[in-house]
Amino acid sequence: FIPAASPSTRMLAFSEPPKRKKNSNPLVQAAVGEAIRRARSWTERVTAVEEEGKETRKDDSLPSGRKTSSRKANSLVERRREKSGEEKMSMTEGFTKAHNEYSRIATKSTSLLLNELWTKKTIPDEGWTEHSIELFLQWIASHDSNNRIDMIPLGAGEREGRVASSMVRRLHCGLTHGIGRSGNLCEVQPKALGSSMLNCLANEFALHALKTIGLHSVKGAVVVPLCTGMSMMMCMSHLRRTRPRARYVIWSRVDQKSAFKAILAAGYEPIIVDPLREGDSLVTDVPEIRRMIEKHEDEVLCVVTTTSSFAPRAPDDLVAIGSLCSAHSIPHLVNNAYGLQSAECTRRILECRSSGGRIDAFVQSLDKNFQVPVGGALVAFFKQSHANSFAQFYPGRASCVPARDFVLTLLGQGTRGLQAEFDRQMRLFERMRRKLRTFAEEIGETVYEVEENLISLAMTLCTIPASKQTLFGAVLFSRGITGARVVSSTSKKTTVEGHEFINFGSHSIDQHAGYLTIACGVGMGEEELEELFARLVSTYARFLRKNVGREVRVSGRNVNFESEEDEEALTDPY
């Protein structure tokens, strides 16, 4: 019992406890010591409150200008301890009400950011910081059953998100369940709520991205964890139920194997229609496609057209083909592999739709258009019901990696960053075209005029013998110019899955003198473009001297390399 005396008396009562027989048990001694320390702390607080009350009453009697403003910030306990040199009892006492309020605001702002994203399900205008994106990823992953922290999950099924390798688990950020359910790519999986949320955001982001670049009439979009060719195969297989008698797919020829193999993988026989030459361009043979439709009618599953391709191939005439398909009630599937970055490809898709033409779906690659790793595609529809039906056709569950990479990329870019990338591609393509034309004129070559192709360019190679052209392409690759293709003219037949193509790679059986194609894809930078032409000029000049025995004159001077060092020293003259 402590008598109700003055504060000093109370402190004395605790500082000098009555002498008792010492207990040899160390646990008891520790407990007694802790009780004494707590009592002292409590006594100090009571004393401080009483003395602070006295000072407040004194200050109230003084003029307001003489009141001490620091009284509220520094308690009497702190001043007493500073004088005595005594350290704080614990770090907790250093946190003021202002600190706690800031902590509450920071926590609330993070929750608001994540909840707003999930509520709106749209790409933010401005890109997020990497820290915010990591918080989002952790938040999403925490919703999956295998990542619960309130209890240890006990999986009693055959697939419980278990991963044997800790490295693989980190690479997948704990999102190991995949997306969708068996038989529906977009269905919510209870055990994988976080992965399902991520998948939902991917599809909503895809639709938002398409509208951002101008495809406002698109109603549905599905991110598929398959490459472009496999996604097209899935589209054709999905159309099977609507065309039970179908045996053929009419294909406007473009010498890329993915779309052609997609037809075969879906179980149909391709009817190959070569393009026509108009000037330098290879364009759609609409009359021949019409003839094939009228000849086979109910046996045609769909017509497959292509927008993006290597020059001199131009985008297919979607308006004319869409009109034919609408008139004959035949599905129309568009291979828009890397066409989202091309204003011309986008314009043709919109024009076909607005003119009453038919497009059942158009497929584009995620890596080529959005700069994510290879492995995913975006299938777009003008009816939401078509998107739902397509998603329900997917057999089994799917990897969430393409959807995850797509969402994280767009979160980092924002709509402004995405549009800036596409705008830069358009600007750099025009610059590439000017530079290639200047270079071609100086070495006696020509750039094909394919105004509709706003991604790829082609330059003739008349100055290099046909027998050396393939070697020139290999030399360019060895110099780090990847993606450029040398297409030499040939009458040889190339067999692809039992089907023969003459002059494969040229999109046509027409003979030519050989050409070089280069492309300006989204993501290319100005420095990369400058270095491309510096290497192209030096490689071409050295190749001509060593393999053809000619010197090349560039920008009014002979380029005659005496050594590798001289070649490397050549600067871009344009």
Side-chain angles (χ1 to χ4, degrees):
F1 173 75
I2 303 174
S6 64
S8 59
T9 306
R10 287 198 296 266
M11 186 176 294
L12 180 61
F14 281 108
S15 59
E16 297 181 4
K19 295 182 180 181
R20 293 179 296 180
K21 185 177 181 180
K22 292 185 178 180
N23 195 319
S24 59
N25 191 326
L27 295 177
V28 175
Q29 291 179 356
V32 172
E34 179 64 21
I36 293 174
R37 282 193 295 272
R38 290 183 179 180
R40 284 176 177 172
S41 177
W42 177 81
T43 303
E44 287 180 354
R45 290 176 182 275
V46 172
T47 304
V49 170
E50 291 183 357
E51 292 187 8
E52 188 173 3
K54 292 179 182 179
E55 290 190 4
T56 302
R57 288 191 293 273
K58 290 179 181 179
D59 288 343
D60 289 341
S61 64
L62 296 174
S64 58
R66 297 177 57 187
K67 292 181 180 179
T68 308
S69 60
S70 62
R71 185 180 64 252
K72 296 180 180 180
N74 299 308
S75 67
L76 184 60
V77 175
E78 291 294 331
R79 293 200 301 272
R80 290 167 62 91
R81 287 177 178 172
E82 287 179 1
K83 291 178 181 179
S84 63
E86 183 182 357
E87 294 184 358
K88 295 180 180 179
M89 293 299 295
S90 66
M91 187 176 179
T92 304
E93 295 182 7
F95 283 91
T96 65
K97 183 182 293 185
H99 295 145
N100 293 332
E101 178 64 14
Y102 181 82
S103 174
R104 186 189 67 80
I105 293 173
T107 303
K108 184 178 179 180
S109 64
T110 301
S111 299
L112 285 175
L113 181 70
L114 299 176
N115 289 328
E116 184 180 20
L117 173 67
W118 177 243
T119 301
K120 292 183 177 180
K121 297 180 179 63
T122 57
I123 308 169
D125 292 336
E126 297 292 342
W128 286 11
T129 63
E130 188 169 328
H131 174 67
S132 298
I133 295 174
E134 288 177 350
L135 286 176
F136 161 77
L137 197 56
Q138 294 170 3
W139 178 69
I140 282 288
S142 68
H143 289 73
D144 279 7
S145 62
N146 58 301
N147 296 320
R148 291 186 62 171
I149 60 174
D150 60 328
M151 66 173 63
I152 299 176
L154 301 174
E158 79 289 350
R159 179 196 44 75
E160 298 295 338
R162 299 185 179 99
V163 178
S165 170
S166 59
M167 178 179 290
V168 172
R169 182 180 177 82
R170 290 196 302 272
L171 286 173
H172 286 262
C173 310
L175 296 164
T176 59
H177 278 284
I179 57 177
R181 303 191 76 174
S182 182
N184 191 337
L185 188 59
C186 295
E187 191 173 350
V188 177
Q189 167 61 253
K191 287 189 294 187
L193 182 59
S195 299
S196 299
M197 293 167 66
L198 185 67
N199 189 34
C200 176
L201 285 175
N203 294 334
E204 294 295 330
F205 276 20
L207 189 60
H208 189 193
L210 293 174
K211 293 180 182 294
T212 299
I213 63 177
L215 291 164
H216 299 290
S217 54
V218 175
K219 301 301 181 184
V222 181
V223 173
V224 186
L226 299 170
C227 65
T228 305
M230 290 293 289
S231 298
M232 293 188 66
M233 180 206 71
M234 185 177 164
C235 288
M236 285 181 257
S237 299
H238 172 246
L239 292 172
R240 188 188 312 273
R241 68 183 73 175
T242 64
R243 310 283 293 178
R245 295 183 55 194
R247 295 174 51 200
Y248 305 105
V249 170
I250 299 175
W251 178 55
S252 181
R253 175 178 169 179
V254 54
D255 287 353
Q256 294 168 316
K257 295 180 181 179
S258 59
F260 179 70
K261 287 190 173 184
I263 299 171
L264 302 174
Y268 293 95
E269 183 178 341
I271 297 176
I272 305 168
V273 178
D274 275 44
L276 300 174
R277 184 171 292 279
E278 287 186 1
D280 291 337
S281 302
L282 293 171
V283 300
T284 316
D285 190 346
V286 177
E288 180 64 14
I289 291 178
R290 179 187 294 110
R291 193 176 72 85
M292 291 294 102
I293 289 176
E294 293 173 350
K295 178 180 178 180
H296 297 283
E297 198 71 35
D298 291 342
E299 292 185 312
V300 176
L301 175 77
C302 66
V303 178
V304 174
T305 55
T306 303
T307 53
S308 54
S309 180
F310 299 118
R313 181 70 154 76
D316 275 321
D317 189 345
L318 301 188
V319 175
I321 301 303
S323 178
L324 282 174
C325 290
S326 180
H328 293 270
S329 298
I330 293 177
H332 180 197
L333 179 60
V334 179
N335 177 10
N336 192 44
Y338 46 96
L340 292 181
Q341 57 193 287
S342 168
E344 177 63 21
C345 295
T346 300
R347 185 194 67 79
R348 294 194 176 207
I349 292 173
L350 286 175
E351 187 178 356
C352 177
R353 176 66 176 174
S354 62
S355 64
R358 180 169 179 172
I359 293 181
D360 291 74
F362 57 99
V363 184
Q364 35 274 307
S365 167
L366 289 184
D367 63 279
K368 295 182 179 70
N369 294 286
F370 298 101
Q371 303 178 72
V372 298
V374 171
L378 194 169
V379 185
F381 306 86
F382 289 106
K383 291 184 178 180
Q384 181 62 50
S385 59
H386 291 176
N388 295 338
S389 177
F390 171 80
Q392 292 172 4
F393 183 75
Y394 191 93
R397 292 175 58 74
S399 169
C400 73
V401 171
R404 178 201 67 196
D405 294 345
F406 178 64
V407 169
L408 298 185
T409 299
L410 291 183
L411 278 179
Q413 286 182 324
T415 54
R416 291 190 177 93
L418 175 65
Q419 189 62 60
E421 288 283 359
F422 284 11
D423 292 343
R424 182 172 63 174
Q425 186 277 332
M426 294 173 61
R427 185 178 68 255
L428 289 184
F429 174 77
E430 293 300 329
R431 187 172 179 179
M432 174 184 280
R433 180 153 54 186
R434 291 194 301 270
K435 292 168 74 71
L436 188 63
R437 283 173 176 170
T438 302
F439 174 61
E441 289 174 3
E442 295 204 355
I443 63 174
E445 300 288 1
T446 303
V447 176
Y448 286 131
E449 296 294 335
V450 189
E451 294 298 327
E452 301 87 355
N453 194 326
L454 301 181
I455 300 174
S456 176
L457 296 166
M459 182 187 74
T460 61
L461 291 178
C462 301
T463 55
I464 298 178
S467 60
K468 300 286 186 178
Q469 289 175 358
T470 302
L471 176 61
F472 177 60
V475 172
L476 287 176
F477 186 85
S478 68
R479 291 295 309 276
I481 303 178
T482 59
R485 300 171 68 242
V486 170
V487 181
S488 56
S489 186
T490 177
S491 58
K492 295 181 180 179
K493 294 181 179 180
T494 301
T495 302
V496 180
E497 299 296 328
H499 294 262
E500 293 183 343
F501 292 85
I502 298 176
N503 211 13
F504 187 79
S506 304
H507 316 292
S508 171
I509 62 174
D510 292 348
Q511 297 300 299
H512 53 82
Y515 57 84
L516 167 72
T517 68
I518 58 175
C520 180
V522 66
M524 175 175 269
E526 295 186 10
E527 293 183 359
E528 190 176 2
L529 180 62
E530 297 300 321
E531 182 62 22
L532 166 65
F533 276 88
R535 294 189 193 181
L536 178 61
V537 170
S538 63
T539 303
Y540 176 83
R542 183 165 179 256
F543 185 86
L544 226 63
R545 177 175 62 84
K546 293 184 66 174
N547 296 278
V548 184
R550 286 181 49 201
E551 302 295 339
V552 64
R553 191 174 183 84
V554 180
S555 294
R557 60 179 179 177
N558 286 325
V559 181
N560 184 10
F561 302 115
E562 298 297 334
S563 65
E564 294 283 345
E565 289 73 21
D566 294 334
E567 175 189 351
E568 296 294 340
L570 182 68
T571 57
D572 181 8
Y574 308 115

